[in-house]
Amino acid sequence: MRRFTELIQKLEMSNKTNDKITALVEYFNEADDMDKPYVIAMFTGKRPKRPVNTALIKQWAIEQSGIPEWLFAESYHSVGDLSETIALVLPPPEKSIDRKLHEWINDLSALHGKDDAYKKNFILDSWNSLETQERFIFNKLISGNFRIGVSNKMLVNALAKQSDTDSNKIMHSIMGKWQPADITFDDLIQGTHVNTDNSWPYPFCLAYALEAEPESLGEPNEWQAEWKWDGIRGQVVKRNGELFIWSRGEELVTDQFPELHFLLDELQDGTVLDGEILSVKDGKVQSFSTLQQRLNRKTINKSQLEEAPIGFFTYDLLELNGKDIREESMASRREKLEMVMTTLKTTDVVALSPTVPFNSWDELAEIRLSSRDINSEGIMLKKRDSMYHAGRKRGDWWKWKINPYTVDTVMIYAQKGSGRRANFYTDYTFAVRDGDKLITIAKAYSGLTDKEIKEVNSFVLKNAVEKFGPVRTVKPELVFEIAFEGIAESKRHKAGLALRFPRIARWRKDKKADEINTLDDLRQLLQSTL
Amino acid sequence: MALINFTSKGIYCKQGDFYIDPWKPVKLAVTTHGHADHVKWGNDAYLCHELTKPILHRRLGVDLKIQTLRYNEEISINGVKVSLFPAGHVIGSSQIRLEYKGEICVVSGDYKVEYDGISTAFEPVKCHSFVSESTFGLPIYKWQPQEVVLSGIKDWISDNHDKKKTSVLVAYSLGKAQRLINGLAGYSDIYVHNSIANLNEGFINAGVNLPETIRITADTKKDDMQKGIVIVPPALAEGRWIKNLINPATGACSGWMQVRAGRRWRSADAGFALSDHADWPGLLSAIKATEAEKVYITHGFTATFSKYLNEIGIAAEEVKTQYGNENDEEVLETASEEPKIESQS
Ligand SMILES: [Zn+2]
Ligand SMILES: [Zn+2]
């Protein structure tokens, strides 16, 4: 596991993609062959089931470190990651063991079904045999939540370089169904298992955000415009009498969306659709917050089916009659997709995502402004003669999003940040006005410059009215414009509503606290999105 | 009556009528060490350790009234016995011991308990009341022994040499820089930024035995720096100066590097948890060794650390000071001092 720990440290320390790829290549050159499929599984988000629950791990760590629970909580707040906090607060190890990564993983999965005393003994003994950095890795292995800033694309590029194999082939091979225990590294790279599995999805083609003016893209007639939907990217795969629905996170979500199961009967074998999973009621796309009620649920009840019915807006065809057509042009794929759609008998659940006709960029800019009316986030632009790329490639697909919603708020609480920012107040809570009261509406971490953070920090130090633990109540004086992507009803929040992806857009030094927005403004906005 | 009071100008000893590390101008500033957050411009007179004197001259100018002491040397100011004890933080750093009618108070400034090979080793001093920093007053901060951290730095440098990268270590001019120079001497040629070279010169003139380094000037060859080690202060860490070097790789040396979030926030290529402040066990052992009846907690995790001390039976109180921004001050001081590098090497 030491070699793997070293890899993680190098990946985390480096800011440059090339250095990260070099670190990965070096790792795959040197690491134990049995370990490699496990590493690929981890980096692509294949999670083993958690063998020990978080509450127990935390409790044992507190016991071992001999600190009070509140101090553990403060430490956690400062570190921002539970696995890391535990690794840091534990006393230094008294022994040392060097075992292979896959041995650790197998030992952990062997804990399933054992009693707590057995588990505790194993975990404590492991902690006592590992250095801080290794412990952190070990804790991450327990949680299974290993996101380390390595995108699939980066991993695939490194593997392609290391094994001198085509990157698309590897991307295809590592996505989907395989178990690290049942496959060798070479077979995984060669993709020997790919053909046998009906579920294989294609890597999604991803768009870059359009930051320049659309005129820079050239002639309007070379481009197809569509609405950009705010849902879950999905790929519907129908092969050999089986139906699979993949989400962008490479998760199989087939069971979550029974509304789409009719496609098993109505789609031809050897068909793969790309599109957006949305909540659609009476033909109208609902807001993301409605869709959210349906996400990541193990079971779905009747009222959820009624309140947030699912639809699928398709915009691309990747496979037809079992043939990969991704190299055909967008225009040709679209034509074939339209044909496929005419063969469906059920027409109200799965629909063709409409194209948006336009003659000039100005006209499209005008149309784009109405995106919100239909719960769209803006416009997608796809080059008519482009192939379907694997992953993100600049130039052929662009998302031209409309600007986020904004609201003027006043800061009412501040809390210190973590790590290097632990000495600065960087986490803020914002309020809007409700009559003569202020009501909390959003919490946001700083989107401010270092200089502004320091300024806010000294304001907090001078204007703290009250403190609860690490939180300071401050005089409501500083006005911030908060940007957000959507708004939803929420019983958990005092305001009765919650903002989606709130962040600080800018510090409005030009405004006073009596000029901020009111809760009524936000309620009106909420009504208009329902 | 208490020997010290926390006032709006700084820590004040009424009986002796002097301040310790004041942040506003006063008649007499007894100074723990030369970091910018502990010594300000504009005091009528300074009292400090003899090795802090060259730093004050470097930072505040030549026209200063400075009286110096050695460690353990005692003088009397208005009947208060004042003496200095090593704080182990940086060269010349001192804990200030005050004694008046049998009452003893120690103001420690910044300190660390591990001997770093260059600053006189920390010495615990028994007292009735003790003023302690708490920069790293959380149990997540536990340092590795210095030789372990240094060997990690050496491995990194040798990996950079193999990959034809220039190793740029980012370290405070006062303290971390001398510690690295001492620890890495003989491993490779060390190139230092002006602000570090200037301080080193002051120390060497005052008799400190510092290994040889090379001051970076407009004539320094980039190729030579690539083969050696470059040390710069934090103000230059993200500037264009570093970008002009051959394949620069930056390594930040700071206690904050202990935590991954800290490593991400400082956008260096590598982070080494090397600190001139006491870690959690260090703070606790130092405080216990004083046997103080009352402990005052200044800059750092003041609220958390004093709460914990009270829970384990040590009477502690959090106090507001203006210490704790040594980095910010250094930014101001060195920002305009980017050395030129010749364009062609
Ligand atoms: Zn200091
Ligand atoms: Zn300090």
Side-chain angles (χ1 to χ4, degrees), chain A residues 109 325 375 441 446 498 509-510:
Chain A
S109 76
I325 61 163
N375 276 321
I441 190 64
S446 189
K509 292 185 176 175
D510 55 321

Side-chain angles (χ1 to χ4, degrees), chain B residues 164-185:
Chain B
K164 296 278 173 280
K165 293 183 175 185
T166 308
S167 307
V168 184
L169 289 167
V170 179
Y172 295 145
S173 324
L174 171 58
K176 214 70 63 67
Q178 290 76 31
R179 199 173 164 192
L180 285 171
I181 290 165
N182 193 55
L184 297 173

Side-chain angles (χ1 to χ4, degrees), chain B residues 196-210:
Chain B
I196 299 170
N198 289 341
L199 275 177
N200 288 355
E201 214 173 74
F203 285 135
I204 290 166
N205 291 341
V208 178
N209 190 10
L210 267 181

Side-chain angles (χ1 to χ4, degrees), chain B residues 33 35 38 89 110 277 326:
Chain B
H33 68 292
H35 275 148
H38 290 261
H89 174 55
D110 291 339
H277 295 273
E326 46 201 46

Side-chain angles (χ1 to χ4, degrees), chain A residues 266-439:
Chain A
E266 298 193 11
L267 275 183
Q268 292 286 322
D269 271 333
T271 307
V272 177
L273 304 175
D274 180 15
E276 201 87 5
I277 299 165
L278 296 159
S279 173
V280 183
K281 224 185 267 183
D282 306 322
K284 191 173 179 281
V285 174
Q286 306 297 297
S287 70
F288 186 81
S289 60
T290 309
L291 174 65
Q292 237 169 355
Q293 305 170 30
R294 290 290 303 273
L295 301 180
N296 304 318
R297 289 185 187 278
K298 290 212 177 76
T299 56
I300 308 149
N301 62 37
K302 211 172 141 222
S303 77
Q304 284 162 342
L305 283 171
E306 274 164 16
E307 274 169 36
I310 291 298
F312 184 71
F313 275 28
T314 178
Y315 38 68
D316 218 321
L317 182 67
L318 313 185
E319 185 176 311
L320 182 63
N321 301 321
K323 189 171 159 258
D324 176 358
I325 61 163
R326 291 176 297 159
E327 298 206 352
E328 293 183 18
S329 69
M330 174 82 229
S332 151
R333 296 196 312 274
R334 177 81 191 187
E335 209 171 286
K336 288 178 174 155
L337 175 65
E338 288 176 7
M339 289 277 293
V340 167
M341 293 304 288
T342 58
T343 66
L344 295 186
K345 288 186 223 64
T346 313
T347 53
D348 52 343
V349 180
V350 175
L352 204 55
S353 185
T355 54
V356 181
F358 68 106
N359 293 312
S360 69
W361 294 118
D362 283 347
E363 185 189 352
L364 187 61
E366 188 75 26
I367 298 171
R368 172 171 159 269
L369 294 178
S370 64
S371 305
R372 294 268 193 230
D373 302 345
I374 54 168
N375 276 321
S376 151
E377 288 185 294
I379 296 284
M380 288 295 303
L381 286 164
K382 299 175 181 174
K383 196 119 191 274
R384 287 188 197 276
D385 63 4
S386 67
M387 62 170 281
Y388 189 93
H389 296 287
R392 218 178 277 278
K393 184 170 176 298
R394 197 169 273 281
D396 289 338
W397 281 30
W398 296 99
K399 47 187 175 191
W400 189 23
K401 295 222 282 188
I402 39 169
N403 300 326
Y405 299 106
T406 59
V407 59
D408 287 333
T409 64
V410 67
M411 181 173 99
I412 54 171
Y413 304 118
Q415 191 170 351
K416 284 189 177 177
S418 21
R420 174 63 182 79
R421 291 174 163 198
N423 281 329
F424 291 99
Y425 288 94
T426 54
D427 304 359
Y428 315 124
T429 303
F430 302 97
V432 290
R433 204 164 280 287
D434 183 25
D436 53 4
K437 287 193 306 254
L438 288 170
I439 190 144

Side-chain angles (χ1 to χ4, degrees), chain B residues 252-267:
Chain B
C253 303
S254 151
W256 300 111
M257 299 297 126
Q258 174 88 341
V259 175
R260 287 159 62 244
R263 297 198 284 269
R264 282 194 295 271
W265 163 253
R266 179 76 72 72
S267 59

